[in-house]
């Protein structure tokens, strides 16, 4: 089989720069609709397909577990331990690849929950609602993310499990949240997307991604997730100011719990990896239960924490929940939320 031409059109579509989310003040319904229009247009103009835009069979894209390019980056705390540095080079590479593959497996599992939730949300939208089209754009893009993540996992040949079984069972509730509280659902969306986006951007900007397949997948994911994150943020900016006080209090209390759990799922070492490579418990504690590791988790939810402060959802009481979940830091508030005109919007 002939390897794909790396200058072919499919590769020319690969993002060359890290995309940024659309950030605008949603002062009224008109500006909110304008954001959705721009996101819809962007999804039409620039999108990627898992099996059309990634040259899986190109020689340089092949996955070898012993490839030194999989060695853990410096900011992965395990990579800084004496235990890890003392391992043979091929074991260091295999551990690094396991971490990458696990992140992708958890990502596709989360996006599976996300897609089902988005479709439950769209199912009840009335005719003419602009969110319907964007939700379907996002669902289509998430389908391609799931395919490219699973294809990558398959090519590692490793027994990657993803989420812990108990947590996966509890997570099946998530797709039904939009039927009860759409604002809470989009907090869940950000809780899954922001921490991994934080890590991926940091990896690429720091030059830590060495393998071209991982780099291509990551760039595609970041480019499209920038739109998904933008939609979730603007949806909350549009809706939260008009929420009844009781629902606002519930959202304010639930948010740090969701973020604390989601960030740890995305950034903590997977149990199967620890057992497979026989990583000692004291090494895991040294790597992931220290001030630097906790600061990394806190930083990974920084944008959402800032948004919650902007929306007035952090108060003296629920601030204690943020601290208890280990994700508190002083928010960097860019501007006060502005209520949209008219009556409070009903939950959709």
């Amino acid at each position: 089989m002939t390897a794909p031409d790396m200058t072919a059109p499919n590769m020319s579509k690969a993002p060359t720069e890290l995309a940024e989310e659309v950030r605008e003040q949603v002062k009224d319904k008109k500006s909110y609709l304008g954001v959705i229009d721009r996101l819809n247009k962007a999804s039409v103009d620039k999108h990627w397909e898992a099996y059309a835009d990634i040259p899986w069979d190109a020689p340089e894209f092949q996955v070898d577990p012993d490839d030194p390019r999989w060695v853990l980056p410096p900011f992965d705390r395990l990579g800084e331990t004496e235990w890890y540095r003392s391992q043979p080079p091929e074991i260091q590479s295999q551990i690094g690849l396991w971490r990458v593959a696990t992140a992708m497996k958890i990502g596709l599992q989360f996006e599976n929950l996300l897609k089902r939730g988005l479709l439950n949300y769209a199912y009840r939208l009335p005719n003419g609602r602009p969110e319907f089209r964007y939700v379907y754009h996002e669902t289509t893009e998430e389908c391609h993310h799931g395919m490219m993540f699973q294809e990558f996992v398959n090519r590692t040949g490793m027994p990657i499990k993803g989420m812990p079984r108990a947590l996966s069972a509890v997570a099946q509730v998530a797709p039904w949240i939009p039927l009860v509280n759409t604002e809470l659902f989009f907090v869940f969306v950000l809780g899954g997307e922001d921490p991994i986006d934080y890590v991926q951007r940091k990896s690429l900007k720091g030059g830590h991604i060495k393998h071209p397949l991982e780099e291509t997948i990551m760039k595609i994911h970041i480019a499209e997730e920038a739109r998904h994150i933008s939609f979730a943020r603007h949806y909350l900016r549009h809706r939260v100011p008009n929420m009844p006080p009781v629902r606002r209090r519930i959202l304010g209390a639930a948010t740090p719990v969701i973020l604390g759990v989601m960030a740890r799922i995305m950034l903590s070492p997977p149990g199967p990896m620890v057992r497979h490579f026989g990583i000692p418990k004291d090494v895991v504690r040294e790597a992931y239960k220290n001030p630097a590791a906790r600061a990394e988790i806190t930083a990974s939810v920084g944008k959402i924490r800032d948004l919650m402060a902007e929306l007035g959802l952090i108060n003296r009481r629920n601030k204690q929940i943020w601290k208890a979940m280990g994700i508190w830091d002083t928010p960097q508030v860019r501007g006060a939320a502005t209520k949209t005109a008219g009556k409070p919007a009903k939950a959709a």
Side-chain angles (χ1 to χ4, degrees):
M1 182 175 180
T2 304
D5 179 0
M6 299 300 288
T7 62
N10 66 330
M11 285 308 296
S12 68
K13 288 182 63 180
T16 56
E17 298 180 357
L18 299 190
E20 295 295 336
E21 63 181 90
V22 176
R23 294 187 183 184
E24 299 179 19
Q25 286 292 323
V26 180
K27 297 179 180 179
D28 51 34
K29 186 174 182 179
K30 182 178 179 180
S31 59
Y32 170 67
L33 296 179
V35 168
I36 295 179
D37 284 344
R38 283 187 283 284
L39 292 174
N40 280 332
K41 185 177 186 301
S43 288
V44 172
D45 292 344
K46 190 173 292 187
H47 60 272
W48 292 267
E49 296 187 16
Y51 291 100
D53 299 312
I54 300 177
W56 295 100
D57 295 319
E60 54 269 60
F61 273 47
Q62 299 312 294
V63 177
D64 177 1
D66 297 337
D67 190 327
R69 291 177 293 183
W70 299 122
V71 170
L72 289 172
F75 64 82
D76 190 301
R77 305 302 166 185
L78 181 62
E80 297 178 336
T81 64
E82 183 179 347
W83 178 89
Y84 180 79
R85 293 196 301 268
S86 69
Q87 299 303 303
E90 65 271 16
I91 297 300
Q92 292 187 33
S93 298
Q94 290 169 27
I95 290 174
L97 178 57
W98 194 299
R99 285 287 277 153
V100 173
T102 297
M104 291 197 188
K105 185 70 176 183
I106 291 175
L108 74 88
Q109 290 170 331
F110 167 76
E111 290 184 349
N112 181 288
L113 300 170
L114 168 61
K115 289 192 289 282
R116 285 186 276 157
L118 286 172
L119 292 175
N120 276 336
Y121 165 63
Y123 187 86
R124 300 195 306 171
L125 286 176
N127 296 339
R129 281 287 288 271
E131 294 92 345
F132 181 92
R133 175 181 162 187
Y134 184 73
V135 163
Y136 270 75
H137 278 308
E138 180 169 341
T139 302
T140 301
E141 291 162 2
E142 298 290 15
C143 284
H144 282 284
H145 296 175
M147 286 189 283
M148 69 182 184
F149 287 166
Q150 186 62 59
E151 184 66 27
F152 180 91
V153 171
N154 293 346
R155 287 170 182 256
T156 69
M158 292 176 162
I160 304 298
K161 300 295 184 183
M163 288 187 192
R165 186 177 300 175
L167 182 61
S168 181
V170 173
Q172 301 310 309
V173 175
W176 303 103
I177 296 176
L179 303 181
V180 179
N181 189 321
T182 54
E183 294 83 8
L184 186 63
F185 174 71
F186 281 105
V187 167
F188 166 79
V189 169
L190 291 174
E193 291 181 338
D194 258 34
I196 193 63
D197 185 70
Y198 169 85
V199 170
Q200 290 181 337
R201 287 176 182 274
K202 187 172 183 178
S203 298
L204 283 171
K205 287 180 179 178
H208 304 305
I209 306 304
K210 307 299 184 183
H211 197 285
L213 177 57
E214 181 187 6
E215 181 181 19
T216 299
I217 290 174
M218 205 171 277
K219 284 184 175 181
I220 290 172
H221 188 247
I222 288 173
E224 295 188 327
E225 288 301 324
R227 297 195 290 260
H228 305 172
I229 290 171
S230 183
F231 176 76
R233 290 192 199 285
H234 285 95
Y235 182 88
L236 290 171
R237 285 191 175 105
H238 177 61
R239 298 277 298 207
V240 169
N242 287 324
M243 290 178 71
V246 172
R247 288 169 64 89
R248 284 174 61 89
R249 285 196 292 271
I250 293 172
L251 186 63
T255 294
V257 176
I258 293 173
L259 299 184
V261 172
M262 296 297 293
R264 283 171 173 79
I265 293 171
M266 299 296 179
L267 303 182
S268 295
M273 183 189 80
V274 172
R275 293 187 291 272
H276 182 86
F277 292 100
I279 304 176
K281 291 183 179 179
D282 60 331
V283 172
V284 175
R285 284 194 296 270
E286 175 191 350
Y288 297 105
K289 296 185 179 180
N290 58 63
R294 289 191 288 271
E296 193 76 359
I297 290 174
T298 300
S300 74
V301 298
K303 290 182 180 179
I304 321 174
R305 188 173 52 243
D306 293 350
L307 176 63
M308 295 301 107
E310 175 190 328
L311 295 174
L313 290 179
I314 298 179
N315 56 38
R316 188 168 54 185
R317 290 183 205 169
N318 64 41
K319 180 178 176 180
Q320 300 308 312
I321 304 177
W322 287 85
K323 291 182 176 180
M325 296 304 297
I327 54 172
W328 175 253
D329 195 6
T330 303
Q332 303 296 316
V333 183
R334 294 182 177 84
T338 304
K339 287 192 176 184
T340 52
K343 297 181 180 179
K346 296 180 180 180

